[in-house]
Amino acid sequence: MEEDHGNSNSSITVDTTKWDRSVWLMKCPLVVSKSWQSQAAASSSSSDSPQVAKVIVSVDPLRSDDSSALQFTMEMGGNDVGNMPKSYSLNMFQDFVPMCVLSETGQGRVTMEGKVEHKFDMTPHTRNMEEYRKMCRERTNKSMIKNRQIQVIDNDRGVNMRPMPGMIGMIASSSKDKKKAVPVKGPEVKRTRRDRGELEDIMFKLFERQPNWTLKQLVQETDQPAQFLKEILNELCVYNKRGTNQGTYELKPEYKKSVEDTGTE
């Protein structure tokens, strides 16, 4: 299969020999993804692939024909996992948009690895919740430490203290200039994205302070781009479309319990 790009003569050939292979799509926590990436980088020089995890499938014999009766659990492999939970629950989605998985090599070869048969959402298992809370507390405490630096300005001629472009319109005009000065609109503030794990820890701290927040309030508190903040909120929170808290976000029940328990400790 070839894909044309506009009027150019270049094309991409996609290897579809494995198009009918069943593939599982799983959304995993950031700490798990980093652990797997570090294990893959450590074993890149070796020909043997490490076992990063194993999946345990539990079947109810009285409901063997019901797919919703299946329970999936993932046990992490390896010893270098620190305080990261060792066991996770895999919540399977029944309905999702049909998708395929593509891969690309360093030489530009594109291969269709298969079609997505099951989609899962990976969450810490209840028996590992204490380890997960401890890990969240450690990450939160680490993210709250700010390394401040003092810079000495060697140039004492005021070059670094010139008016910004947005302040030009604020300069008073002379008495000879009868026209009213048109204020110059200052440049829009571009917010820099924080590390995803660091931002999640800050969000948990904010929801410890109060249970409901609007998007505008969270943007002001975190100084993060609204679109990036929405991605985090969709994972951690539910949006209230009606009721007394209409237009606000609050933590999902599984995260709310963890935050409440952390606050009591």
Side-chain angles (χ1 to χ4, degrees), residues 46-239:
S46 176
S47 58
D48 298 332
S49 300
Q51 178 180 338
V52 295
K54 64 178 180 179
V55 178
I56 302 174
V57 182
S58 303
V59 182
D60 186 350
L62 300 179
R63 302 167 57 195
S64 58
D65 296 335
D66 187 0
S67 59
S68 61
L70 297 176
Q71 293 184 355
F72 297 86
T73 306
M74 176 172 288
E75 301 287 345
M76 298 295 295
N79 298 322
D80 188 18
V81 293
N83 292 329
M84 184 176 67
K86 311 297 188 303
S87 180
Y88 294 84
S89 299
L90 302 182
N91 303 321
M92 185 171 64
F93 290 86
Q94 299 295 333
D95 298 324
F96 58 90
V97 179
M99 291 176 285
C100 294
V101 178
L102 301 176
S103 65
E104 183 177 3
T105 63
Q107 293 75 24
R109 181 180 178 182
V110 181
T111 303
M112 183 178 293
E113 299 294 342
K115 59 182 179 180
V116 177
E117 181 181 4
H118 296 299
K119 184 179 178 182
F120 296 90
D121 191 2
M122 185 176 181
T123 57
H125 202 276
T126 52
R127 64 172 176 265
N128 294 131
M129 193 57 67
E130 183 59 34
E131 295 178 359
Y132 183 70
R133 293 171 189 158
K134 183 178 180 181
M135 182 187 67
C136 289
R137 286 194 297 268
E138 292 178 353
R139 291 196 314 181
T140 302
N141 295 332
K142 185 177 179 181
S143 65
M144 298 301 289
I145 300 176
K146 297 182 179 180
N147 297 324
R148 302 182 182 274
Q149 296 181 351
I150 300 176
Q151 182 179 0
V152 180
I153 301 177
D154 297 331
N155 189 348
D156 57 353
R157 297 180 181 178
V159 177
N160 296 325
M161 301 177 65
R162 291 177 179 174
M164 298 297 292
M167 300 175 60
I168 297 176
M170 300 174 61
I171 300 176
S173 59
S174 61
S175 58
K176 296 181 180 180
D177 188 5
K178 300 299 181 179
K179 296 182 180 180
K180 186 177 180 181
V182 179
V184 179
K185 185 178 180 181
E188 295 183 359
V189 179
K190 293 185 178 180
R191 296 181 171 88
T192 304
R193 289 191 177 191
R194 290 178 177 267
D195 177 73
R196 197 179 188 91
E198 179 183 352
L199 181 56
E200 289 181 359
D201 296 333
I202 295 176
M203 296 290 288
F204 283 130
K205 278 291 184 181
L206 291 174
F207 280 101
E208 285 183 17
R209 191 195 307 173
Q210 67 182 48
N212 296 88
W213 292 84
T214 64
L215 178 61
K216 183 178 180 181
Q217 290 174 333
L218 291 173
V219 171
Q220 294 175 348
E221 289 285 340
T222 60
D223 193 27
Q224 292 295 291
Q227 187 60 37
F228 179 49
L229 205 56
K230 283 183 179 180
E231 297 178 8
I232 304 296
L233 289 171
N234 291 336
E235 295 181 7
L236 304 180
C237 305
V238 292
Y239 182 73

Side-chain angles (χ1 to χ4, degrees), residues 26-37:
M26 183 178 62
K27 182 179 181 181
C28 63
L30 181 62
V31 64
V32 176
S33 176
K34 289 183 176 180
S35 175
W36 288 347
Q37 291 176 5

